[in-house]
Amino acid sequence: EAGVTQSPTHLIKTRGQQATLRCSPISGHTSVYWYQQALGLGLQFLLWYDEGEERNRGNFPPRFSGRQFPNYSSELNVNALELEDSALYLCASSKGTSYSYNEQFFGPGTRLTVL
Amino acid sequence: AQSVTQLGSHVSVSEGALVLLRCNYSSSVPPYLFWYVQYPNQGLQLLLKYTTGATLVKGINGFEAEFKKSETSFHLTKPSAHMSDAAEYFCAVRKETSGSRLTFGEGTQLTVNP
């Protein structure tokens, strides 16, 4: 069974640009989560999508946005990039909310560098 | 608000020695608790989890953790460290009311010396 996949592996942008990160969940999983792992800030929850809808959002500005497609894959968009957006962005997937316990499986991450 | 505290950002042990990584949580309701491991340049891998039931949880690679409600702790242990255990370890908590988000501790970097 294929795990969670993310693309690209690395992404280099300059300040003010936009970045798009992609995530494909494990087959059968309908929930996708995004986390940011920035140096010195630890792992922070960004967004949660389930069945195509945004279910929860962490404490991030609106320039962090995303969506989930009908095939449950997801995209994270970061607009007006700032230097402090440089981080490893991790995607996780799980079975949907109808399950009483839905373990999250993580992808390898996308390393975003903002110059 | 729930939070997770990992005591010790760096832990160093000798190969064959006991590994003990500490995690305390604050939560007003019994949470789900997890330990993840992250190897360099990789994502997170679930080591073990506590949801309900038995408070001593066994995970992969010989790790185990005990949920102690009275101490609000979920410490991770392994009787004998191996060189391949060198990695960063994260404790995480999830409350049902938090919409499935995981709240992570700061992480503990484990070094295993030969």
Side-chain angles (χ1 to χ4, degrees), chain B residues 9-62:
Chain B
S9 58
H10 290 83
V11 170
S12 183
V13 300
S14 298
E15 191 174 17
L18 171 72
V19 176
L20 171 60
L21 304 182
R22 299 177 188 274
C23 173
N24 287 86
Y25 68 92
S26 64
S27 175
S28 57
V29 299
Y32 290 170
L33 293 159
F34 308 83
W35 275 99
Y36 284 88
V37 61
Q38 185 177 34
Y39 297 100
N41 300 314
Q42 293 187 28
L44 302 176
Q45 181 182 11
L46 181 68
L47 276 177
L48 49 80
K49 59 184 182 283
Y50 169 78
T51 53
T52 59
T55 57
L56 181 62
V57 180
K58 294 188 185 298
I60 62 171
N61 301 340

Side-chain angles (χ1 to χ4, degrees), chain A residues 32-110:
Chain A
V32 171
Y33 311 79
W34 289 95
Y35 294 86
Q36 182 197 63
Q37 188 176 22
L39 202 60
L41 295 178
L43 274 154
Q44 297 186 69
F45 168 77
L46 258 168
L47 290 160
W48 169 34
Y49 292 94
D50 183 68
E51 296 285 358
E53 299 207 3
E54 183 179 304
R55 302 290 185 179
N56 206 339
R57 183 182 181 86
N59 189 26
F60 282 84
R63 56 191 187 83
F64 286 85
S65 65
R67 54 180 172 168
Q68 186 178 33
F69 299 98
N71 66 353
Y72 304 114
S73 67
S74 176
E75 214 172 67
L76 174 68
N77 295 293
V78 188
N79 293 319
L81 285 166
E82 300 179 3
L83 296 177
E84 51 265 34
D85 296 333
S86 294
L88 181 67
Y89 289 84
L90 293 169
C91 172
S93 74
S94 75
K95 294 180 180 179
T97 55
S98 60
Y99 291 84
S100 59
Y101 168 64
N102 44 4
E103 177 182 330
Q104 294 182 24
F105 294 84
F106 283 78
T110 292

Side-chain angles (χ1 to χ4, degrees), chain A residues 100-102, chain B residues 31-32 34 93-96 98 100-102:
Chain A
S100 59
Y101 168 64
N102 44 4
Chain B
Y32 290 170
F34 308 83
V93 62
R94 195 194 97 196
K95 275 167 54 178
E96 281 307 307
S98 68
S100 284
R101 69 164 69 183
L102 291 173

